[in-house]
Each structure stands twice: as C-alpha cells, then as structure tokens.
Amino acid sequence: MNKIAARVVEKKYIVPFILLTSLFFLWGIANDLTNPMVSAFKKVMPELSNMEAALVQMAFYGGYATMAIPAALFIRKFSYKSGILLGLALYATGALLFIPAAKLEIFGFYLASLYILTFGLAFLETTSNPYVLSMGAKETSTRRLNLAQTFNPLGSLLGMLGAQILVIKALKSADYTPEAYNALSAAQQADIRTNDLGVISTPYIILGVFVLVMFVVIALYKMPKKAEDHDALKIGATFKKLFKNRRYREGVITQAFYVAAQIMCWTFIYQYVDNVNASRPADAQLTATWFNMAAMIAFLVGRSAGTYLLKYISPGKLMLNFAIAGMTFTLGAIFIEGIVGLYSLVGISIAMSIMFPTIYGIALKDMGDEAKLGSAGLVMAIVGGALMPPIQGSILDLGGPGFSDIKILGVSEVNFSFILPLLCLIIVAIYSYRAEKVHLK
C-alpha cells in the first residue's frame, strides 16, 4: 500500500497558519518600506554622508541582534502566542514613535524608533518561523516555511509601493538639485525639511495603527499550543548542544551573509538607478522604485517556484543552483554598466528567493526544544543586514558624495560596491554544497 503523502498544512492548522502568514506579510512591509529610507533621508538631510544615511539599516537590523535571544528565552518560558503578542506591541510602539520623531526632527530619534520597531520584528520572526515548522509533518517543514515566507515579498511589494507613493514621490527636497537647494534661505530649507520628515513618518504611523488591530485579532483567537518540555535541556546545555552542531553553526553564519546580500541589493538599487539616470536625458529618467518592485516580483516568483521544486529536489542542491545563478547576476550588475547592469541587479532577487527559509530549515532540521534558541541564533544573523550596508555606503563615499566619482576595476564605485553581495552569495553557495554533501547525508 502506498503511503499517503503528508499535507504541507493540516486542516486543523489552516486558520492559525493564515494568521501566522499575515505576520510574514507585516514584517515584509516594514523591511521594504525602510530600504528606500536610506535614499530618502539622504535627500531630506543632505548633510548626511552615504555611510551615515545607511545607518538606517544598522538601526533597523541591529534590533534583531539585540532582541533575538531575549525573544527566544521569553517564548521558551511562556508560549508562542505570548511572543507574537509582545512582538506586535513592540512593532506598533516603534512605528508610532515616528510621531515625536517628526516633531523633534532629529535623525537619531528616527534611528531609535526603527531600533525599537525591530525589537518587535525579532520577536515575531523568532516565534513565527519555528511555529510554522512545527505545524505538521517534519518531512514537509521546509516546504511549509517556504510557503509561509511567500507572503513576505507580498508585504515587501506593499512596503515599496507605500514608500514610492507616500514618501519618495511626495518629498519636496527631491525637486531640487543640490545647488538649487543650497541657494534657498535657511527658513525655506527648514520648511522643506519639516514637510519631508512628516512625509517620511506618515506610512510608519499608518502601519503602527494596523499592527495594533492585528494584536487585538490574535489576542482574541485561540492559537494551538505545542506540547513542549522546557526542562528537557537547561539553557546552558542547549547553547552547548547548538554550538556543537556544525550544520546549525554554519547556518547562522550563512544566514548573516545572505541577509546582508538581500538588504544591500534592495537598498542600493536606488543609488544604482540614480547613477544610470546621470547619463540619460531628462525625459527618459528611470524610477528606482519600479525596478525595486520588479526585483520583489522576481523574488516572489522564485519563492513560489522554489517551494514547488522542493518537492523534487533536495534543499541543499536547489539552493546551490540558485546561489550560482545569483553570483552570475551579481557579476553582471558589477561589470555591465547602464540598463543591462540594472536588469542584472533585478535578476539577483529571483536567485535569492528561497535562501532565507531554506537555510533556516536546513539549520534547524531534526531539532526538538532547542529549536527555539536555535531560531534566535538564525534571527540574530539578520544583523548582517545592519553591518554590511554601511560598508557598502563607505565604498560609495570613496570618491566623494556622488556614485561615479572614481572608477574601480574599470566601473563606477556604485557598481563595484556590489562586490559585497557577490562575496555573500559565495558563502551561501559553500553552505549549500556542504548541506548537500556533508550535513544532510
């Protein structure tokens, strides 16, 4: 008799699974609403260098590194649902802090607001990923997480669209060249700054209110409880066991490099487009957001296709092929200047699409209660998105404030800066190979 194939999501988990996937949607909005803010703050506060503007990403992703372990310890002591609710509360708090940030007009206050917002995201990711993995058969866990993660790029698309319509398109400072802006009086510059910082704050305030609504919905719904033995391993013993697990240890390192690659590609596409526009006539200027949304659509297509292909191809082998494709696209983005290089930059996203959940699933495979702390390590790895963008920004500052002040290896510094995502994808390829040949054999 043929064995009946396990369902990806069992019927009894359908509603909880839908609620959890809504959280993946919510942090997708926050992630990609924030990516364009590096460019936006640079326009509104021209005194910032490219590296200083990129501190937006350090604040945003630094919150993950700070709060991931506390989040894991919290849900270990209490429950998945408690972790979700606290995560939503912190998310809403950080978003609504943009109200006083707009009043004070201090860049550091915006960074602090983003930092607190991502405390909430750290709780949500640390909780939701292992919760999804546990909702059904082990053999379908990686497919289930890829399915849930498919809703993340949908949120990202909404975040990008919101950034374009509510922020980038509405910024008055973007209407001036640096020379024209400097020619304005101090009072005029102050009025423009006040307006534009209010514009930047608006989508976060809207998002904060929506997150509060989700808090109420999940608080009122009876989420399934997982049978757990919190005394099975002491905290110290759990950390020791995790540290000895090479597959997990290498997975955390790889996740940090993957997230760094993703954030750099989606953050600095705006500067890449600005550089391409410098050689195009005024009536043929490109809109960076549309290319970033195209990258996200490619990411969504890749995630959906990858989830299907995992039925037939092992996770390590599939991710290795995606990593090689990503490296090829990245080389095109570096060494092919102009619109073709931009298309290559967009193409990287389809290759990156399955990496986060697949690394996650491989690293946590066959773990029991220690998966909660293990999940925290993988969420902490998101700090790669905090550390690498400022380094890429520093490369852009090498020749001056522009994006093509000098040539490196024959290309503009903005093109050359994508050498960092290339190195990150090489690390992913190595882990994929080892997952296939060493860890999962």
Side-chain angles (χ1 to χ4, degrees):
M1 181 181 292
N2 293 330
K3 185 179 179 180
I4 298 175
R7 290 177 178 269
V8 176
V9 182
E10 295 177 27
K11 186 179 292 186
K12 64 181 178 179
Y13 292 131
I14 291 293
V15 175
F17 182 79
I18 290 171
L19 289 174
L20 283 177
T21 55
S22 73
L23 303 181
F24 288 77
F25 181 81
L26 278 176
W27 74 65
I29 295 175
N31 288 346
D32 288 276
L33 176 62
T34 302
N35 288 339
M37 294 306 127
V38 174
S39 177
F41 275 113
K42 184 72 173 71
K43 288 182 170 69
V44 178
M45 299 178 167
E47 69 273 15
L48 299 175
S49 68
N50 288 303
M51 187 277 289
E52 289 170 332
L55 291 177
V56 166
Q57 298 293 39
M58 177 169 279
F60 190 87
Y61 291 97
Y64 284 102
T66 304
M67 199 52 64
I69 293 293
L73 296 176
F74 180 87
I75 62 174
R76 184 184 175 97
K77 182 175 178 61
F78 296 101
S79 67
Y80 282 123
K81 181 175 179 177
S82 297
I84 290 170
L85 292 176
L86 182 54
L88 289 170
L90 289 167
Y91 186 163
T93 299
L96 294 175
L97 279 174
F98 271 68
I99 297 173
K103 298 292 184 184
L104 294 172
E105 299 187 7
I106 298 173
F107 183 57
F109 202 123
Y110 280 101
L111 297 182
S113 301
L114 289 169
Y115 189 54
I116 293 169
L117 187 155
T118 50
F119 286 177
L121 298 188
F123 265 88
L124 294 180
E125 293 218 33
T126 303
T127 304
S128 300
N129 287 303
Y131 203 1
V132 167
L133 287 173
S134 72
M135 283 187 171
K138 289 183 178 181
E139 60 266 31
T140 61
S141 60
T142 300
R143 287 174 59 202
R144 187 162 49 254
L145 185 56
N146 267 279
L147 176 60
Q149 288 271 0
T150 299
F151 291 83
N152 179 266
L154 291 174
S156 295
L157 282 170
L158 183 58
M160 290 177 188
L161 189 61
Q164 174 64 24
I165 294 173
L166 298 177
V167 178
I168 296 172
K169 199 172 180 179
L171 291 178
K172 289 185 178 179
S173 53
D175 296 334
Y176 296 87
T177 64
E179 296 76 19
Y181 185 83
N182 291 331
L184 297 173
S185 68
Q188 289 174 314
Q189 290 182 3
D191 287 342
I192 291 172
R193 177 176 296 220
T194 298
N195 174 82
D196 286 358
L197 290 177
V199 165
I200 287 174
S201 300
T202 298
Y204 288 94
I205 296 167
I206 295 170
L207 188 55
V209 173
F210 183 75
V211 170
L212 287 177
V213 173
M214 285 301 303
F215 177 93
V216 173
V217 171
I218 291 180
L220 294 177
Y221 187 81
K222 188 175 181 180
M223 299 290 283
K225 294 182 179 180
K226 307 306 298 177
E228 297 157 333
D229 180 7
H230 298 299
D231 295 323
L233 284 172
K234 299 295 184 181
I235 298 296
T238 302
F239 278 120
K240 187 175 181 180
K241 184 175 181 180
L242 288 171
F243 186 76
K244 286 183 176 180
N245 187 325
R246 284 192 307 164
R247 184 183 73 236
Y248 171 76
R249 191 171 65 242
E250 292 173 15
V252 170
I253 295 170
T254 303
Q255 196 74 286
F257 280 101
Y258 160 69
V259 173
Q262 175 186 295
I263 301 310
M264 287 187 286
C265 288
W266 293 349
T267 297
F268 290 97
I269 191 172
Y270 289 86
Q271 289 81 350
Y272 199 102
V273 171
D274 284 346
N275 189 50
V276 173
N277 279 337
S279 60
R280 295 174 69 88
D283 61 350
Q285 294 288 289
L286 305 173
T287 300
T289 298
W290 306 144
F291 284 90
N292 208 9
M293 290 184 70
M296 187 52 59
I297 292 170
F299 188 85
L300 178 58
V301 170
R303 177 69 60 79
S304 300
T307 301
Y308 175 77
L309 290 172
L310 281 169
K311 292 173 61 178
Y312 309 103
I313 305 174
S314 64
K317 185 175 182 180
L318 184 63
M319 189 162 66
L320 176 59
N321 283 294
F322 273 55
I324 292 170
M327 291 156 57
T328 303
F329 281 125
T330 309
L331 286 170
I334 295 170
F335 292 108
I336 305 174
E337 298 205 75
I339 192 69
V340 176
L342 178 57
Y343 290 149
S344 295
L345 179 53
V346 169
I348 299 171
S349 290
I350 197 167
M352 294 191 298
S353 60
I354 67 163
M355 291 178 181
F356 186 92
T358 303
I359 294 169
Y360 210 106
I362 291 171
L364 295 184
K365 184 176 174 61
D366 296 328
M367 285 191 184
D369 190 53
E370 67 269 22
K372 287 182 178 177
L373 287 178
S375 174
L378 289 159
V379 172
M380 278 188 69
I382 293 174
V383 74
L387 300 177
M388 297 290 272
I391 298 174
Q392 189 169 9
S394 296
I395 294 175
L396 297 186
D397 288 329
L398 286 176
F403 306 128
S404 187
D405 300 303
I406 59 173
K407 296 286 185 180
I408 305 174
L409 296 182
V411 297
S412 305
E413 71 252 48
V414 67
N415 285 61
F416 178 78
S417 70
F418 284 88
I419 194 75
L420 296 178
L422 176 63
L423 293 174
C424 293
L425 291 173
I426 290 172
I427 299 296
V428 175
I430 292 170
Y431 183 67
S432 303
Y433 178 82
R434 288 180 57 76
E436 184 67 19
K437 299 297 182 181
V438 179
H439 298 316
L440 298 184
K441 286 187 72 69

